[in-house]
Amino acid sequence: MAPTTEGKPHEHPLAQSPQCPRRRPAAPAAGPAPLLVQAVIGAGALGVLALWWTGTASVVGPAGWLTGAGRITGLLAGYACAVLVALMARVPLLDHALGTDRLARWHAAAGRYTVSLVLTHVLLIVWGYTLTSRSGVLHEATTLVLDYPDMLKATVGCVLLLGTGLVSARAARRRMSYETWHYLHFATYLALFLAFGHQLANGADFVGRRPAQLGWYALYGAVAALLVWYRFAVPVRRALRHRLRVVDVRPEAPGVVSVHLAGERLTELGARPGQFFRWRFLAPGLWWTANPYSLSAPPLPQHLRITVKAAGGHSAALARLRPGTRVWAEGPYGAFTEARRRAPKVLLLAGGVGITPLRTLFETLPGEVTLVYRARRPEDLALRAELDAIAAARGAAVHYCVDEPAAYAVPLTARALRQLVPDLAAHEVYLCGPPGMTDAARRALRGAGVPRHHIHHESFAF
């Protein structure tokens, strides 16, 4: 291998490194924006609990305690459903402040809490009502479902929500494509629609309390408006305005292609280096889903580019796109941009196709920037000619690290990174690649003394 440092080629003893095991990357350190959003969510949960507190005169006996706990978990479950949808409504303010990765992790955690609260609510209410009526559990459950207002719809909604939770479990996700997993999630919207009515019709905390009812309508109405606007109306409006289309598809490495797109008034999108869009290609077999791909070149007024590795049916089909294919682009998304930078020196650490957002940052970040690019084989180093040209033009350092030939492979460790970047602890690090690589890299960076809040990463896991 021949890395480039200060724009000039030289040999480096750590020019190769091994492939890392695939694991989910650790969460980045929280900053002021995440803490503020968490505080707002927590305040909302306290407000929901206040509904129960102010609407409950006393709690007497086991049946009262069980029913009261069921009411509390039901209120929290209803609130969690609204938060669950809001986190994935693709609101630009949240996405750019927190980052898509963090929002996705919070959404996954909220989903687990929501399912747990829903199950607990159902069990406690049925148990509490059974003790009150002195009847059997099955009889009471049947009575609740068939005789109480909107309970049959709520039961169907509960089943849909639990089914969505099951397909979101890690073991199930591994067995399905991103597209299938994505569309099964739309069942969540139907589940919440079906379950909404029973909250106001049967909830003791809402019956006869008009302010509480109006507040609940306002909460769900605001979330629904955000969802409809940002996930449906905005993409359609932008597709009609910017008229994106494919102009060329070029191979970059084995199984890797760059898709060049042209459009009108693209500066209005406000895209920044490091961000991504969700792309919907209006071609047979592709139009029905929008997949996330990062920009692999700085955005231009009439040109965008993505670079994609064939890792599934959708990404593999992009190599067969024809010029003129219309494209809908949702975004830009992500906080993996220059705005995160705080230190004067920057290390860009890429693995595989994770080079795409880092290639844009390598060209545009000011100051002292070093790039370390890891791949399986030399021929897998996509965009290498461009990276060499950028390094030469700005006098920057780029190190290429591959697994093969195995004789040169070394572990991805703190010692290895320090030899590549001697003053590593003084750098801000942007990290992007497969989950296993990013997980190992984070451990190595922390071992090399890089502060946790100086490590920024973008994950390709769903």
Side-chain angles (χ1 to χ4, degrees):
M1 297 298 295
T4 303
T5 299
E6 303 301 332
K8 299 178 181 179
H10 81 291
E11 295 295 334
H12 196 286
L14 297 177
Q16 282 82 21
S17 54
Q19 190 172 13
C20 306
R22 296 182 61 86
R23 290 177 57 192
R24 180 174 293 275
L35 293 177
L36 177 60
V37 175
Q38 288 173 342
V40 171
I41 294 174
L46 291 176
V48 168
L49 291 176
L51 283 177
W52 175 83
W53 182 265
T54 57
T56 303
S58 62
V59 180
V60 180
W65 283 105
L66 288 170
T67 304
R71 286 168 54 194
I72 291 173
T73 52
L75 285 169
L76 290 175
Y79 175 69
C81 285
V83 172
L84 185 72
V85 175
L87 290 175
M88 285 288 102
R90 299 176 187 169
V91 180
L93 180 63
L94 285 177
D95 189 89
H96 297 166
L98 304 180
T100 306
D101 277 7
R102 181 178 280 115
L103 284 174
R105 284 191 295 271
W106 285 10
H107 174 79
R112 291 189 289 271
Y113 286 129
T114 301
V115 170
S116 299
L117 286 168
V118 168
L119 287 174
T120 305
H121 165 67
V122 171
L123 293 174
L124 289 174
I125 288 295
V126 172
W127 192 0
Y129 279 30
T130 298
L131 292 182
T132 300
S133 65
R134 301 179 184 275
S135 61
V137 172
L138 182 59
H139 176 270
E140 190 60 38
T142 303
T143 301
L144 281 169
V145 171
L146 298 180
D147 295 347
Y148 280 65
D150 292 314
M151 278 301 302
L152 185 58
K153 291 193 298 182
T155 302
V156 175
C158 179
V159 172
L160 288 174
L161 187 64
L162 296 180
T164 303
L166 287 175
V167 300
S168 298
R170 192 174 302 178
R173 286 189 319 222
R174 293 195 188 104
R175 290 170 171 79
M176 66 181 69
S177 67
Y178 171 85
E179 295 83 1
T180 301
W181 171 83
H182 175 76
Y183 273 95
L184 286 175
H185 261 59
F186 280 109
T188 303
Y189 304 144
L190 178 59
L192 300 191
F193 174 78
L194 292 172
F196 180 77
H198 95 285
Q199 300 175 68
L200 301 181
N202 302 301
D205 303 290
F206 294 106
V207 175
R209 303 177 69 185
R210 192 61 177 170
Q213 294 175 2
L214 292 176
W216 212 245
Y217 274 117
L219 173 65
Y220 273 74
V223 171
L226 291 174
L227 183 73
V228 171
W229 179 251
Y230 287 112
R231 296 202 64 169
F232 299 99
V234 169
V236 171
R237 181 173 63 90
R238 286 184 170 176
L240 297 176
R241 180 168 179 78
H242 299 296
R243 303 180 64 83
L244 273 171
R245 63 192 183 281
V246 175
V247 293
D248 196 11
V249 179
R250 301 176 188 172
E252 302 287 0
V256 179
V257 298
S258 284
V259 180
H260 295 255
L261 307 112
E264 302 172 4
R265 299 181 290 271
L266 299 183
T267 53
E268 296 178 6
L269 295 172
R272 292 177 289 173
Q275 291 187 308
F276 70 95
F277 288 79
R278 287 182 169 87
W279 306 89
R280 187 183 304 275
F281 296 90
L282 304 187
L286 296 177
W287 62 268
W288 62 285
T289 186
N291 280 27
Y293 301 114
S294 297
L295 295 174
S296 62
L300 298 175
Q302 294 182 320
H303 183 266
L304 300 174
R305 187 185 75 178
I306 58 175
T307 300
V308 180
K309 180 178 180 179
H314 186 279
S315 54
L318 299 192
R320 301 187 296 273
L321 285 173
R322 295 182 178 181
T325 300
R326 293 293 302 273
V327 184
W328 288 18
E330 302 174 30
Y333 298 117
F336 197 63
T337 66
E338 183 186 354
R340 286 191 172 185
R341 179 178 181 174
R342 297 294 181 268
K345 298 180 180 180
V346 173
L347 168 64
L348 307 176
L349 182 52
V353 78
I355 189 60
T356 53
L358 297 185
R359 181 256 180 259
T360 64
L361 293 173
F362 190 42
E363 180 176 347
T364 59
L365 281 178
E368 183 177 335
V369 180
T370 302
L371 171 65
V372 175
Y373 182 11
R374 300 165 57 84
R376 182 167 173 266
R377 302 168 300 174
E379 55 267 34
D380 295 324
L381 294 165
L383 308 175
R384 182 172 180 178
E386 294 182 19
L387 298 173
D388 288 339
I390 293 169
R394 65 179 300 165
V398 56
H399 305 285
Y400 299 105
C401 307
V402 297
D403 297 345
E404 300 173 2
Y408 295 95
V410 295
L412 178 57
T413 62
R415 175 180 173 273
L417 289 176
R418 277 196 299 261
Q419 288 187 282
L420 284 172
V421 188
D423 56 343
L424 179 57
H427 283 64
E428 194 116 16
V429 181
Y430 288 76
L431 172 63
C432 188
M437 176 265 177
T438 58
D439 188 57
R442 287 179 63 85
R443 291 197 302 267
L445 290 167
R446 295 290 292 129
V450 180
R452 186 181 300 274
H453 62 278
H454 279 189
I455 303 173
H456 317 295
H457 82 267
E458 187 165 86
S459 169
F460 286 88
F462 71 91

